Amino acid sequence: MELYFKIFEVLFPVFFVIGIGYYLGKKNPKIDTNYITNFAGNIGTPAMIFYTVTTTGVTLAVFTSYFFYALVMIGGFSIVGLILLFILKRDLSMELPPMILPNTGNMGIPICLFAYGTEGLGVASAIASVIILFHFTLGVFLAKKKFSFDVVLKSPPVYAIIISVLFLYFNLDVPVFLENTTFLLTYATIFLVLMSLGVALTRFKFSLKDSIILALGRVILGPIICILIINKFDLNGFAAGVLLIQSAMPSAVLNYLVGSMYSPKKIVDSIASTIVTSTLMSFITIPVVVFFALKYFN
């Protein structure tokens, strides 16, 4: 029974804030969340990466290890995603990002924080940093079918990852004023982005044809792939639990944002459907995965 209370404590604040955003989006359909996107992309996410990587006790060895495991996990997601898209006769490039880039930032980081505390936050950030990096590199390449190096050069999260790794490599102490500032920005970003996710759920167009299959591939096959990786590399403890939880996240909202910038409207609507469907499914699947993670990886 104590474990069930723990799961409730982990998930309630996340879904509650998403619910606030959904309520606000329904009450005011014209509510503008662009400022949240700009804030999160240019200030909040870089601050979150820096704070969670440099101040939560994660070592360079743990960071690089789980950075690598996240890459392997994305590789597994890619194989499953390509197979499903091929069977459904969908675009193998532009519709692949929702399958391989889960919502490890908006939902994954806060859930891992509430599940495993600041230790879990550091590992969750290592995994999320891979996904963020891929959003602005591989995600753009797949969406426009053309790689643009300018996108990488102009991406603040990329520089935040580099700076964070330098702090870990040289074992530098973070100044208190910088730690406090990035701490505030981190939790403000988590709240604002979760709320904007709730607003976004009121606007996506549903197209259930095929999207249910793709969503199932994201939220069910994702954790199965992760369990295979955990067994293959003999991972254990809370870090393995964090990896498992992150693998179960629904498709990231950033897939929609990147797709809307570079892909045709028909593709964007399909991406939106996968995001919405997988997010709704995750309300059921995430509690199961968190239960499993807390029970066997502590």
Side-chain angles (χ1 to χ4, degrees):
M1 184 60 70
E2 187 175 326
L3 190 57
Y4 291 104
F5 281 117
K6 179 67 174 178
I7 294 173
F8 179 78
E9 291 171 354
V10 168
L11 297 178
F12 178 80
V14 174
F15 291 139
F16 182 77
V17 176
I18 292 174
I20 291 175
Y22 188 84
Y23 168 76
L24 294 175
K26 281 292 188 181
K27 188 175 181 180
N28 180 13
K30 295 183 179 180
I31 188 172
D32 185 11
T33 58
N34 287 329
Y35 75 94
I36 295 179
T37 302
N38 292 329
F39 168 77
N42 296 315
I43 300 175
T45 298
M48 183 189 301
I49 292 172
F50 180 82
Y51 174 78
T52 54
V53 170
T54 61
T55 66
T56 53
V58 64
T59 63
L60 180 62
V62 171
F63 181 87
T64 53
S65 295
Y66 278 84
F67 195 97
F68 168 73
Y69 297 143
L71 288 175
V72 176
M73 194 166 64
I74 291 173
F77 295 164
S78 299
I79 294 172
V80 171
L82 288 171
I83 292 174
L84 290 177
L85 290 172
F86 178 79
I87 293 174
L88 297 173
K89 299 180 180 179
R90 308 299 287 264
D91 193 291
L92 298 181
S93 173
M94 291 185 285
E95 295 190 61
L96 183 60
M99 299 297 298
I100 66 175
L101 300 176
N103 201 346
T104 54
N106 299 0
M107 290 181 68
I109 284 180
I111 288 175
C112 291
L113 167 64
F114 295 130
Y116 291 108
T118 55
E119 285 185 325
L121 190 63
V123 177
S125 179
I127 299 167
S129 64
V130 179
I131 304 299
I132 292 170
L133 183 63
F134 272 40
H135 270 300
F136 296 101
T137 51
L138 180 62
V140 174
F141 169 72
L142 292 172
K144 64 188 300 190
K145 296 186 177 181
K146 180 181 178 182
F147 182 75
S148 176
F149 198 68
D150 287 343
V151 176
V152 179
L153 292 177
K154 296 178 180 178
S155 175
V158 172
Y159 294 103
I161 294 171
I162 295 173
I163 294 171
S164 300
V165 170
L166 289 176
F167 266 78
L168 291 180
Y169 181 79
F170 292 105
N171 198 25
L172 300 175
D173 292 328
V174 179
V176 175
F177 77 90
L178 187 56
E179 179 179 345
N180 290 341
T181 301
T182 52
F183 167 82
L184 289 175
L185 289 171
T186 293
Y187 285 90
T189 302
I190 289 175
F191 173 80
L192 288 173
V193 174
L194 285 175
M195 188 176 69
S196 69
L197 175 59
V199 175
L201 289 176
T202 67
R203 297 175 178 174
F204 287 150
K205 294 182 179 179
F206 284 88
S207 176
L208 290 180
K209 184 181 179 181
D210 297 346
S211 64
I212 292 179
I213 296 176
L214 295 175
L216 286 171
R218 171 83 295 283
V219 299
I220 293 181
L221 295 182
I224 292 176
I225 292 171
C226 185
I227 290 174
L228 295 176
I229 293 172
I230 289 173
N231 289 333
K232 173 67 177 178
F233 293 99
D234 194 27
L235 306 179
N236 54 60
F238 75 91
V242 169
L243 186 68
L244 179 59
I245 291 174
Q246 290 285 52
S247 74
M249 292 301 111
S251 300
V253 179
L254 275 178
N255 291 311
Y256 174 77
L257 298 177
V258 173
S260 64
M261 293 170 62
Y262 301 108
S263 300
K265 185 178 184 302
K266 181 179 179 181
I267 297 295
V268 175
D269 286 345
S270 175
I271 291 173
S273 297
T274 302
I275 293 171
V276 172
T277 308
S278 64
T279 300
L280 293 175
M281 287 182 178
S282 73
F283 292 177
I284 299 173
T285 58
I286 287 178
V288 176
V289 173
V290 171
F291 173 86
F292 188 86
L294 292 174
K295 186 174 179 64
Y296 295 102
F297 301 106
N298 243 319

